[in-house]
Coordinates of all heavy atoms in Angstrom, one line a residue:
M264 N 16.6 -11.1 -15.2 CA 16.1 -9.8 -14.8 C 14.6 -9.8 -14.7 O 13.9 -10.3 -15.6 CB 16.6 -8.8 -15.8 CG 18.0 -8.3 -15.8 SD 18.3 -7.3 -14.3 CE 17.4 -5.8 -14.7
E265 N 14.1 -9.2 -13.7 CA 12.7 -9.1 -13.6 C 12.1 -7.9 -14.3 O 12.9 -6.8 -14.5 CB 12.2 -8.8 -12.1 CG 12.4 -9.9 -11.2 CD 12.1 -9.6 -9.8 OE1 10.9 -9.1 -9.5 OE2 12.8 -9.8 -8.8
E266 N 11.1 -8.1 -14.9 CA 10.4 -6.9 -15.6 C 10.0 -5.8 -14.5 O 9.6 -6.2 -13.5 CB 9.1 -7.3 -16.3 CG 9.4 -8.3 -17.4 CD 9.8 -7.7 -18.8 OE1 9.3 -6.6 -19.0 OE2 10.7 -8.1 -19.3
P267 N 10.1 -4.6 -14.9 CA 9.7 -3.6 -13.9 C 8.2 -3.6 -13.9 O 7.6 -4.1 -14.9 CB 10.1 -2.3 -14.6 CG 10.4 -2.6 -16.0 CD 10.8 -4.0 -16.1
P268 N 7.4 -3.4 -12.7 CA 6.1 -3.5 -12.6 C 5.4 -2.5 -13.6 O 5.9 -1.4 -13.8 CB 5.7 -3.1 -11.2 CG 6.9 -2.5 -10.7 CD 8.1 -3.0 -11.5
T269 N 4.5 -2.9 -14.2 CA 3.6 -2.1 -15.2 C 2.7 -1.3 -14.4 O 2.3 -1.7 -13.4 CB 2.9 -2.6 -16.4 OG1 2.1 -3.6 -15.8 CG2 4.0 -3.6 -17.2
H270 N 2.1 -0.3 -15.0 CA 1.0 0.5 -14.2 C -0.1 -0.6 -14.0 O -0.8 -0.5 -12.9 CB 0.6 1.6 -15.1 CG -0.4 2.5 -14.5 ND1 -0.2 3.2 -13.4 CD2 -1.7 2.7 -14.8 CE1 -1.1 3.8 -13.1 NE2 -2.2 3.5 -13.8
R271 N -0.5 -1.4 -15.1 CA -1.6 -2.3 -15.0 C -1.5 -3.3 -13.8 O -2.3 -3.6 -13.1 CB -1.8 -3.1 -16.3 CG -2.9 -4.1 -16.3 CD -2.8 -4.8 -17.7 NE -3.0 -4.0 -18.8 CZ -4.3 -3.8 -19.2 NH1 -5.4 -4.4 -18.7 NH2 -4.5 -2.9 -20.2
T272 N -0.1 -3.7 -13.7 CA 0.2 -4.8 -12.6 C 0.0 -4.1 -11.2 O -0.5 -4.6 -10.2 CB 1.6 -5.3 -12.7 OG1 1.8 -5.8 -14.0 CG2 1.9 -6.4 -11.8
L273 N 0.5 -2.8 -11.1 CA 0.4 -2.2 -9.8 C -1.1 -1.9 -9.4 O -1.4 -2.1 -8.2 CB 1.1 -0.7 -9.9 CG 2.5 -0.7 -10.1 CD1 3.1 0.7 -10.3 CD2 3.3 -1.3 -8.7
R274 N -1.9 -1.7 -10.5 CA -3.3 -1.5 -10.1 C -4.0 -2.8 -9.8 O -4.8 -2.8 -8.7 CB -4.0 -0.8 -11.2 CG -3.6 0.6 -11.4 CD -4.4 1.3 -12.5 NE -5.9 1.2 -12.1 CZ -6.7 1.9 -12.8 NH1 -6.5 2.7 -13.8 NH2 -8.1 1.8 -12.4
A275 N -3.5 -3.8 -10.4 CA -4.1 -5.2 -10.2 C -3.7 -5.5 -8.7 O -4.5 -6.1 -7.9 CB -3.6 -6.1 -11.1
N276 N -2.3 -5.3 -8.4 CA -2.0 -5.7 -7.0 C -2.8 -4.8 -6.0 O -3.2 -5.4 -4.8 CB -0.6 -5.3 -6.9 CG 0.4 -6.3 -7.5 OD1 0.0 -7.5 -7.8 ND2 1.7 -6.0 -7.8
A277 N -3.0 -3.6 -6.3 CA -3.7 -2.8 -5.4 C -5.3 -3.2 -5.2 O -5.6 -3.1 -4.1 CB -3.5 -1.4 -5.9
R278 N -5.9 -3.5 -6.2 CA -7.1 -3.8 -6.1 C -7.3 -5.3 -5.4 O -8.2 -5.4 -4.5 CB -7.8 -4.1 -7.5 CG -8.2 -2.8 -8.1 CD -9.1 -3.0 -9.2 NE -8.6 -3.7 -10.3 CZ -8.0 -3.1 -11.3 NH1 -7.9 -1.8 -11.4 NH2 -7.4 -3.8 -12.3
E279 N -6.3 -6.1 -5.6 CA -6.4 -7.5 -4.8 C -6.1 -7.2 -3.4 O -6.8 -7.8 -2.5 CB -5.2 -8.4 -5.3 CG -5.0 -9.7 -4.7 CD -6.3 -10.5 -4.7 OE1 -7.1 -10.4 -5.6 OE2 -6.6 -11.1 -3.7
A280 N -5.3 -6.3 -3.1 CA -4.9 -6.0 -1.5 C -6.3 -5.4 -0.9 O -6.6 -5.6 0.1 CB -3.7 -5.0 -1.6
L281 N -6.9 -4.5 -1.8 CA -8.0 -4.0 -1.2 C -9.2 -5.0 -1.0 O -9.8 -4.9 0.0 CB -8.7 -2.9 -2.2 CG -7.9 -1.6 -2.2 CD1 -8.2 -0.7 -3.4 CD2 -8.2 -0.7 -0.9
R282 N -9.2 -6.0 -1.9 CA -10.3 -7.0 -1.7 C -9.9 -7.7 -0.5 O -10.8 -8.2 0.2 CB -10.3 -7.9 -2.9 CG -11.5 -7.5 -4.0 CD -11.7 -8.8 -4.9 NE -10.5 -9.1 -5.7 CZ -10.1 -8.5 -6.8 NH1 -10.7 -7.6 -7.3 NH2 -9.0 -9.0 -7.4
A283 N -8.7 -8.1 -0.4 CA -8.3 -9.0 0.7 C -8.1 -8.2 2.0 O -7.7 -8.8 3.1 CB -6.9 -9.7 0.3
R284 N -8.4 -6.8 2.0 CA -7.9 -6.0 3.1 C -6.7 -6.3 3.7 O -6.5 -6.4 5.0 CB -9.1 -6.3 4.3 CG -10.6 -5.9 3.8 CD -10.7 -4.4 3.7 NE -12.0 -3.9 3.5 CZ -12.6 -3.7 2.3 NH1 -11.9 -4.0 1.2 NH2 -13.9 -3.4 2.2
T285 N -5.7 -6.4 2.8 CA -4.4 -6.5 3.2 C -3.9 -5.4 4.2 O -3.3 -5.5 5.2 CB -3.4 -6.5 2.0 OG1 -3.9 -7.6 1.2 CG2 -2.0 -6.8 2.4
L286 N -4.3 -4.2 3.7 CA -4.2 -2.9 4.5 C -5.5 -2.4 4.9 O -6.5 -2.5 4.1 CB -3.5 -1.9 3.8 CG -2.1 -2.1 3.1 CD1 -1.6 -0.8 2.4 CD2 -1.1 -2.5 4.3
P287 N -5.6 -1.9 6.2 CA -6.9 -1.2 6.5 C -7.2 -0.1 5.4 O -6.2 0.6 5.0 CB -6.6 -0.6 7.9 CG -5.5 -1.3 8.4 CD -4.7 -1.8 7.2
I288 N -8.5 0.0 5.1 CA -8.9 0.8 4.1 C -9.1 2.3 4.7 O -10.0 2.9 4.7 CB -10.2 0.4 3.4 CG1 -10.5 1.1 2.0 CG2 -11.4 0.3 4.3 CD1 -11.3 0.4 1.1
R289 N -8.0 2.8 5.1 CA -7.9 4.1 5.7 C -6.5 4.6 5.7 O -5.6 3.8 5.5 CB -8.6 4.3 7.1 CG -7.8 3.5 8.0 CD -8.6 3.6 9.5 NE -8.0 2.6 10.4 CZ -6.9 3.0 11.3 NH1 -6.4 4.0 11.2 NH2 -6.6 2.0 12.1
R290 N -6.3 5.9 6.1 CA -5.0 6.4 6.1 C -4.2 5.8 7.3 O -4.9 5.5 8.4 CB -4.8 7.9 6.2 CG -5.3 8.5 5.1 CD -4.9 10.0 5.1 NE -5.4 10.7 3.9 CZ -4.7 10.7 2.7 NH1 -3.6 9.9 2.6 NH2 -5.2 11.1 1.6
A291 N -2.9 5.5 7.1 CA -2.0 5.1 8.3 C -2.2 6.1 9.4 O -2.2 7.2 9.2 CB -0.6 4.7 7.8
D292 N -2.0 5.5 10.6 CA -1.9 6.4 11.8 C -0.6 7.1 11.8 O -0.4 8.2 12.2 CB -2.1 5.6 13.1 CG -3.5 5.1 13.1 OD1 -4.5 5.9 12.9 OD2 -3.7 3.9 13.1
R293 N 0.5 6.3 11.5 CA 1.9 6.9 11.3 C 2.4 6.3 10.0 O 2.3 5.2 9.6 CB 2.7 6.6 12.4 CG 2.2 7.0 13.7 CD 3.1 6.6 14.9 NE 4.4 7.4 14.9 CZ 5.4 6.9 15.7 NH1 5.3 6.0 16.6 NH2 6.5 7.6 15.7
M294 N 3.3 7.2 9.4 CA 3.9 6.8 8.1 C 5.3 7.4 8.0 O 5.4 8.6 8.4 CB 2.9 7.4 7.1 CG 3.2 7.0 5.7 SD 1.8 7.4 4.7 CE 2.5 7.9 3.2
W295 N 6.2 6.7 7.5 CA 7.6 7.2 7.3 C 8.0 6.8 5.9 O 7.6 5.7 5.3 CB 8.6 6.6 8.1 CG 8.3 6.7 9.6 CD1 9.0 7.6 10.3 CD2 7.5 5.9 10.5 NE1 8.7 7.5 11.8 CE2 7.8 6.5 11.8 CE3 6.8 4.8 10.3 CZ2 7.2 5.9 12.8 CZ3 6.1 4.3 11.5 CH2 6.4 4.8 12.7
G296 N 8.7 7.6 5.2 CA 9.2 7.2 3.9 C 10.8 7.0 4.1 O 11.5 7.6 4.9
G297 N 11.4 6.3 3.2 CA 12.8 6.0 3.3 C 13.2 4.9 2.2 O 12.5 4.6 1.3
R298 N 14.5 4.6 2.4 CA 15.0 3.5 1.5 C 14.5 2.1 2.1 O 14.4 1.9 3.2 CB 16.5 3.6 1.4 CG 16.8 4.9 0.7 CD 18.3 4.8 0.0 NE 18.5 6.0 -0.8 CZ 18.0 6.1 -2.1 NH1 17.4 5.0 -2.8 NH2 18.2 7.2 -2.8
G299 N 14.5 1.2 1.1 CA 14.1 -0.1 1.5 C 15.2 -0.8 2.3 O 16.3 -0.5 2.2
D300 N 14.8 -1.8 3.1 CA 15.7 -2.7 3.9 C 15.5 -4.1 3.5 O 15.9 -4.9 4.3 CB 15.8 -2.3 5.2 CG 14.4 -2.7 5.9 OD1 13.6 -3.1 5.3 OD2 14.2 -2.3 7.2
G301 N 14.9 -4.5 2.4 CA 14.6 -5.8 2.0 C 13.3 -6.5 2.6 O 13.0 -7.6 2.4
A302 N 12.6 -5.7 3.3 CA 11.3 -6.1 3.9 C 10.4 -6.2 2.6 O 10.4 -5.6 1.8 CB 10.7 -5.2 4.9
E303 N 9.4 -7.4 2.8 CA 8.5 -7.6 1.8 C 7.5 -6.6 1.7 O 6.9 -6.1 2.7 CB 7.9 -9.1 2.0 CG 7.0 -9.4 0.9 CD 6.2 -10.7 1.3 OE1 7.1 -11.7 1.5 OE2 5.0 -10.7 1.3
C304 N 7.2 -6.1 0.4 CA 6.1 -5.1 0.2 C 4.8 -5.9 0.6 O 4.6 -6.9 -0.1 CB 6.3 -4.6 -1.2 SG 4.8 -3.6 -1.8
S305 N 3.9 -5.3 1.2 CA 2.6 -5.9 1.5 C 1.6 -5.9 0.3 O 0.7 -6.6 0.3 CB 2.0 -5.1 2.7 OG 2.6 -5.2 3.9
L306 N 2.1 -5.1 -0.7 CA 1.1 -5.0 -1.8 C 1.5 -5.8 -3.1 O 0.7 -6.6 -3.7 CB 1.0 -3.5 -2.3 CG 0.3 -2.7 -1.2 CD1 0.4 -1.2 -1.5 CD2 -1.1 -3.1 -1.0
C307 N 3.0 -5.8 -3.4 CA 3.4 -6.7 -4.5 C 4.2 -8.0 -4.0 O 4.5 -8.8 -4.8 CB 4.0 -5.8 -5.5 SG 5.8 -5.4 -4.9
H308 N 4.5 -8.0 -2.7 CA 5.0 -9.2 -2.2 C 6.4 -9.3 -2.8 O 7.1 -10.4 -2.4 CB 4.3 -10.4 -2.4 CG 2.9 -10.3 -1.9 ND1 2.6 -10.3 -0.5 CD2 1.8 -10.4 -2.6 CE1 1.4 -10.0 -0.4 NE2 0.8 -10.1 -1.6
A309 N 7.1 -8.3 -3.3 CA 8.5 -8.3 -3.7 C 9.3 -7.5 -2.6 O 8.8 -6.7 -2.0 CB 8.8 -7.7 -4.9
P310 N 10.5 -7.9 -2.3 CA 11.3 -7.2 -1.3 C 11.5 -5.7 -1.7 O 11.6 -5.5 -3.0 CB 12.6 -7.9 -1.2 CG 12.7 -8.7 -2.4 CD 11.3 -9.0 -2.9
V311 N 11.5 -4.8 -0.8 CA 11.8 -3.5 -1.1 C 13.3 -3.3 -1.0 O 13.8 -3.4 0.1 CB 11.2 -2.4 -0.2 CG1 11.5 -0.9 -0.7 CG2 9.6 -2.7 -0.2
K312 N 14.0 -3.2 -2.2 CA 15.5 -3.2 -2.1 C 16.1 -1.9 -1.7 O 15.4 -0.8 -1.7 CB 16.0 -3.5 -3.5 CG 15.5 -4.8 -3.9 CD 16.0 -5.1 -5.5 CE 15.2 -6.3 -6.0 NZ 14.9 -5.9 -7.6
P313 N 17.3 -1.8 -1.2 CA 17.9 -0.6 -0.7 C 17.9 0.6 -1.6 O 18.0 1.6 -1.3 CB 19.2 -1.1 -0.3 CG 19.1 -2.5 0.1 CD 18.1 -3.0 -0.9
D314 N 17.8 0.1 -2.9 CA 18.0 1.2 -4.0 C 16.4 1.7 -4.5 O 16.4 2.4 -5.4 CB 18.8 0.8 -5.2 CG 18.1 -0.3 -5.9 OD1 17.3 -1.1 -5.4 OD2 18.6 -0.7 -7.1
E315 N 15.5 1.1 -3.7 CA 14.1 1.5 -4.0 C 13.6 2.4 -2.7 O 14.2 2.2 -1.6 CB 13.3 0.3 -4.2 CG 13.6 -0.5 -5.4 CD 12.8 -1.7 -5.7 OE1 12.7 -2.5 -4.8 OE2 12.3 -1.9 -6.7
L316 N 12.6 3.1 -3.0 CA 12.0 3.9 -1.8 C 10.8 3.2 -1.4 O 10.0 2.6 -2.2 CB 11.6 5.4 -2.5 CG 12.8 6.2 -2.8 CD1 12.4 7.5 -3.3 CD2 13.6 6.5 -1.5
E317 N 10.6 3.3 -0.1 CA 9.3 2.7 0.5 C 8.8 3.6 1.5 O 9.2 4.6 2.0 CB 9.9 1.5 1.3 CG 10.6 1.6 2.5 CD 10.7 0.6 3.6 OE1 10.4 -0.6 3.2 OE2 11.0 0.9 4.7
F318 N 7.4 3.3 1.8 CA 6.7 3.8 2.9 C 6.6 2.7 4.0 O 6.3 1.6 3.7 CB 5.4 4.3 2.6 CG 5.3 5.7 1.8 CD1 4.6 5.6 0.6 CD2 6.0 6.8 2.2 CE1 4.7 6.9 -0.1 CE2 6.0 7.9 1.4 CZ 5.3 8.1 0.4
E319 N 6.8 3.2 5.2 CA 6.6 2.2 6.3 C 5.2 2.8 7.0 O 5.2 3.9 7.4 CB 7.7 2.2 7.2 CG 7.5 1.2 8.4 CD 8.8 1.1 9.3 OE1 9.7 1.5 9.0 OE2 8.6 0.6 10.4
L320 N 4.2 1.9 7.0 CA 2.8 2.4 7.4 C 2.6 1.7 8.8 O 2.9 0.4 9.0 CB 1.8 2.0 6.5 CG 2.1 2.3 5.0 CD1 0.9 1.8 4.2 CD2 2.1 3.8 4.9
E321 N 2.2 2.4 9.7 CA 1.8 1.9 11.0 C 0.3 2.2 11.3 O -0.1 3.4 11.3 CB 2.8 2.5 12.0 CG 2.7 1.8 13.4 CD 3.7 2.3 14.3 OE1 4.9 1.9 14.3 OE2 3.3 3.1 15.1
Y322 N -0.4 1.3 11.5 CA -1.9 1.2 12.0 C -1.9 0.9 13.4 O -1.5 -0.2 13.8 CB -2.7 0.4 11.1 CG -2.9 0.8 9.6 CD1 -1.9 0.3 8.7 CD2 -3.9 1.8 9.3 CE1 -2.1 0.6 7.3 CE2 -3.9 2.0 7.9 CZ -3.1 1.6 7.1 OH -3.3 1.9 5.7
I323 N -2.8 1.6 14.1 CA -3.2 1.3 15.6 C -4.6 0.6 15.5 O -5.6 1.1 15.1 CB -3.2 2.6 16.4 CG1 -1.7 3.3 16.4 CG2 -3.6 2.2 17.8 CD1 -1.8 4.7 16.9
L324 N -4.4 -0.7 15.8 CA -5.7 -1.4 15.7 C -6.1 -1.8 17.1 O -5.3 -1.7 18.1 CB -5.4 -2.7 14.9 CG -4.8 -2.6 13.4 CD1 -4.5 -3.9 12.9 CD2 -5.8 -1.8 12.6
A325 N -7.4 -2.3 17.2 CA -7.9 -2.8 18.5 C -6.9 -3.7 19.3 O -6.7 -3.6 20.5 CB -9.3 -3.3 18.3
D326 N -6.3 -4.7 18.5 CA -5.4 -5.7 19.0 C -4.0 -5.3 18.9 O -3.1 -6.2 19.1 CB -5.8 -7.0 18.5 CG -5.7 -7.1 17.1 OD1 -5.4 -6.0 16.4 OD2 -5.7 -8.2 16.3
G327 N -3.6 -4.1 18.7 CA -2.2 -3.9 18.7 C -1.9 -3.1 17.4 O -2.7 -2.5 16.7
L328 N -0.6 -3.0 17.2 CA 0.1 -2.3 15.9 C 0.2 -3.2 14.8 O 0.5 -4.4 14.9 CB 1.4 -1.7 16.3 CG 1.4 -0.6 17.2 CD1 3.0 -0.2 17.5 CD2 0.7 0.6 16.7
A329 N -0.1 -2.7 13.6 CA 0.2 -3.4 12.5 C 1.2 -2.6 11.6 O 0.8 -1.4 11.5 CB -1.1 -3.6 11.6
K330 N 2.1 -3.1 11.1 CA 3.1 -2.4 10.4 C 3.3 -3.0 9.0 O 3.1 -4.3 8.8 CB 4.5 -2.6 10.9 CG 4.6 -1.6 12.3 CD 6.1 -1.6 12.7 CE 6.1 -0.7 14.0 NZ 7.5 -0.6 14.4
H331 N 3.4 -2.2 8.0 CA 3.5 -2.6 6.7 C 4.6 -1.8 5.9 O 4.7 -0.6 6.1 CB 2.1 -2.3 5.8 CG 1.1 -3.2 6.3 ND1 0.8 -4.6 5.9 CD2 -0.1 -2.9 7.1 CE1 -0.3 -5.0 6.5 NE2 -0.7 -4.1 7.2
H332 N 5.3 -2.6 5.2 CA 6.3 -1.9 4.3 C 5.7 -2.0 2.8 O 5.3 -3.1 2.4 CB 7.7 -2.6 4.3 CG 8.4 -2.5 5.6 ND1 9.4 -1.5 5.7 CD2 8.2 -3.2 6.7 CE1 9.8 -1.8 7.0 NE2 9.2 -2.8 7.6
V333 N 5.8 -0.8 2.1 CA 5.2 -0.9 0.7 C 6.1 0.0 -0.1 O 6.7 1.0 0.4 CB 3.8 -0.4 0.7 CG1 2.9 -1.3 1.4 CG2 3.6 1.1 1.2
H334 N 6.4 -0.4 -1.4 CA 6.9 0.4 -2.4 C 6.2 1.7 -2.5 O 4.9 1.6 -2.3 CB 7.0 -0.3 -3.8 CG 8.0 -1.4 -3.8 ND1 7.5 -2.6 -3.8 CD2 9.2 -1.4 -3.9 CE1 8.4 -3.5 -3.8 NE2 9.5 -2.9 -4.0
V335 N 6.9 2.7 -2.8 CA 6.2 4.0 -2.9 C 5.2 4.0 -4.2 O 4.1 4.4 -4.1 CB 7.1 5.1 -3.2 CG1 6.6 6.5 -3.7 CG2 7.8 5.6 -1.9
H336 N 5.7 3.3 -5.3 CA 4.8 3.2 -6.5 C 3.6 2.2 -6.2 O 2.5 2.5 -6.6 CB 5.6 2.7 -7.6 CG 6.5 1.5 -7.4 ND1 7.8 1.6 -7.4 CD2 6.1 0.2 -7.4 CE1 8.2 0.4 -7.1 NE2 7.2 -0.5 -7.2
C337 N 3.8 1.3 -5.4 CA 2.7 0.3 -5.0 C 1.7 1.2 -4.0 O 0.5 1.0 -4.3 CB 3.2 -0.9 -4.1 SG 4.2 -2.0 -5.1
F338 N 2.2 1.9 -3.1 CA 1.3 2.6 -2.2 C 0.5 3.7 -3.1 O -0.8 3.9 -2.8 CB 2.1 3.3 -1.1 CG 1.4 4.1 -0.2 CD1 0.5 3.4 0.7 CD2 1.3 5.5 -0.2 CE1 -0.3 4.2 1.7 CE2 0.4 6.2 0.6 CZ -0.4 5.5 1.6
T339 N 1.1 4.3 -4.0 CA 0.6 5.4 -4.8 C -0.8 4.7 -5.6 O -1.8 5.3 -5.7 CB 1.4 6.1 -5.8 OG1 2.5 6.5 -5.0 CG2 0.7 7.1 -6.6
A340 N -0.5 3.5 -6.2 CA -1.6 2.7 -6.9 C -2.6 2.3 -5.9 O -3.8 2.5 -6.1 CB -0.9 1.6 -7.6
W341 N -2.3 1.9 -4.7 CA -3.2 1.5 -3.7 C -4.2 2.5 -3.3 O -5.3 2.5 -3.3 CB -2.5 0.9 -2.6 CG -3.4 0.4 -1.5 CD1 -4.1 -0.8 -1.3 CD2 -3.8 1.1 -0.1 NE1 -4.8 -0.9 -0.2 CE2 -4.6 0.2 0.6 CE3 -3.5 2.4 0.3 CZ2 -5.3 0.7 1.7 CZ3 -4.1 2.7 1.6 CH2 -4.8 1.9 2.2
E342 N -3.5 3.7 -3.0 CA -4.2 5.0 -2.5 C -5.4 5.3 -3.6 O -6.5 5.8 -3.4 CB -3.3 6.1 -2.4 CG -2.8 6.2 -1.0 CD -2.5 7.6 -0.6 OE1 -1.8 8.4 -1.4 OE2 -2.9 8.1 0.5
R343 N -4.8 5.3 -5.0 CA -5.7 5.6 -6.1 C -6.9 4.6 -6.1 O -8.0 5.0 -6.3 CB -4.8 5.7 -7.4 CG -5.7 6.2 -8.5 CD -4.8 6.4 -9.7 NE -3.7 7.5 -9.4 CZ -2.5 7.5 -9.8 NH1 -2.1 6.5 -10.7 NH2 -1.6 8.3 -9.4
E344 N -6.6 3.3 -6.1 CA -7.7 2.3 -6.1 C -8.6 2.4 -4.9 O -9.7 2.3 -5.0 CB -7.0 1.0 -6.3 CG -6.3 0.7 -7.5 CD -7.3 0.8 -8.7 OE1 -8.4 0.3 -8.6 OE2 -7.0 1.5 -9.7
R345 N -8.1 2.8 -3.7 CA -8.8 3.0 -2.6 C -9.8 4.0 -2.8 O -11.0 3.8 -2.4 CB -7.9 3.1 -1.4 CG -8.7 3.3 -0.2 CD -7.9 4.0 0.9 NE -7.5 5.3 0.5 CZ -6.7 6.1 1.3 NH1 -6.0 5.7 2.3 NH2 -6.3 7.3 0.9
D346 N -9.3 5.2 -3.3 CA -10.2 6.2 -3.5 C -11.3 5.9 -4.5 O -12.4 6.4 -4.2 CB -9.5 7.4 -4.1 CG -8.7 8.1 -3.0 OD1 -8.7 7.7 -1.7 OD2 -7.7 8.9 -3.2
N347 N -11.1 5.1 -5.5 CA -12.1 4.7 -6.4 C -13.1 3.8 -5.7 O -14.4 3.9 -5.9 CB -11.4 3.8 -7.5 CG -10.7 4.6 -8.5 OD1 -10.8 5.8 -8.5 ND2 -9.8 4.0 -9.3
V348 N -12.6 2.8 -5.0 CA -13.5 2.0 -4.0 C -14.4 2.9 -3.1 O -15.6 2.6 -3.2 CB -12.7 1.0 -3.3 CG1 -13.6 0.2 -2.3 CG2 -12.0 -0.1 -4.3
L349 N -13.8 3.7 -2.5 CA -14.6 4.5 -1.5 C -15.7 5.4 -2.4 O -16.8 5.5 -1.8 CB -13.7 5.5 -0.8 CG -12.7 4.7 0.3 CD1 -11.7 5.7 0.9 CD2 -13.6 4.0 1.4
A350 N -15.3 5.8 -3.4 CA -16.2 6.7 -4.3 C -17.4 5.8 -4.8 O -18.6 6.1 -4.7 CB -15.5 7.3 -5.5
Q351 N -17.0 4.7 -5.1 CA -18.0 3.7 -5.7 C -19.0 3.3 -4.6 O -20.2 3.0 -4.8 CB -17.3 2.4 -6.4 CG -17.0 2.8 -7.8 CD -15.9 1.8 -8.2 OE1 -15.8 0.6 -7.7 NE2 -15.1 2.1 -9.3
D352 N -18.4 2.9 -3.4 CA -19.2 2.3 -2.4 C -20.0 3.4 -1.7 O -20.7 3.1 -0.9 CB -18.4 1.5 -1.4 CG -17.8 0.3 -1.9 OD1 -18.2 0.0 -3.3 OD2 -17.0 -0.4 -1.3
G353 N -19.5 4.7 -1.9 CA -20.2 5.7 -1.1 C -19.8 5.7 0.3 O -20.6 6.2 1.2
L354 N -18.7 5.0 0.7 CA -18.2 5.1 2.0 C -17.6 6.4 2.3 O -17.0 7.0 1.5 CB -17.3 3.8 2.3 CG -17.8 2.4 2.0 CD1 -16.8 1.6 2.1 CD2 -19.0 2.2 3.1
H355 N -17.6 6.7 3.5 CA -16.7 7.9 3.8 C -15.6 7.5 4.8 O -15.9 6.7 5.8 CB -17.6 8.8 4.6 CG -18.7 9.4 3.5 ND1 -18.4 10.3 2.7 CD2 -20.0 9.1 3.4 CE1 -19.5 10.5 1.9 NE2 -20.5 9.7 2.5
Q356 N -14.5 8.1 4.6 CA -13.3 7.7 5.5 C -13.5 8.4 6.9 O -14.0 9.6 6.9 CB -12.0 8.4 4.9 CG -11.3 7.4 4.0 CD -10.1 8.3 3.6 OE1 -10.0 8.9 2.5 NE2 -9.0 7.9 4.3
S357 N -13.3 7.7 7.9 CA -13.4 8.4 9.1 C -12.0 9.1 9.3 O -10.9 8.5 9.0 CB -13.6 7.4 10.2 OG -12.5 6.4 10.1
A358 N -12.0 10.4 9.8 CA -10.8 11.2 9.8 C -9.8 10.7 10.7 O -9.3 10.1 11.3 CB -11.2 12.5 10.1
Ligands
ZN699 ZN1 5.6 -3.3 -3.9

C-alpha cells in the first residue's frame, strides 16, 4: 500500500514543479475537472486513478497546445505555491 501524500509532500512536489517550470506559471487557458483515467499527474508523477479526481489543464503556447493531467490535491498545492512565488518575486500574472 502506498502512503497517502502528506501536505508536506504535496507542497514539495509543487515547489519542484514550479522550479522546473513543469507547468506554465499562470492559469490554464482551458481546464476541466473529472475522474482520472490513469494518466500520469504532471506534479507528483503518480497515475490519476479512476477513483480520484483530476484537473485536465490545457495551455495555448507559441508552439502548440500543452496538456497536463493533475490530481486536484496536487493542483491546489501548486496554485498555493505559485501564489507564494509570485508574491515573493513581485511578478504579476498576465490576465
Ligand atoms: Zn498528483
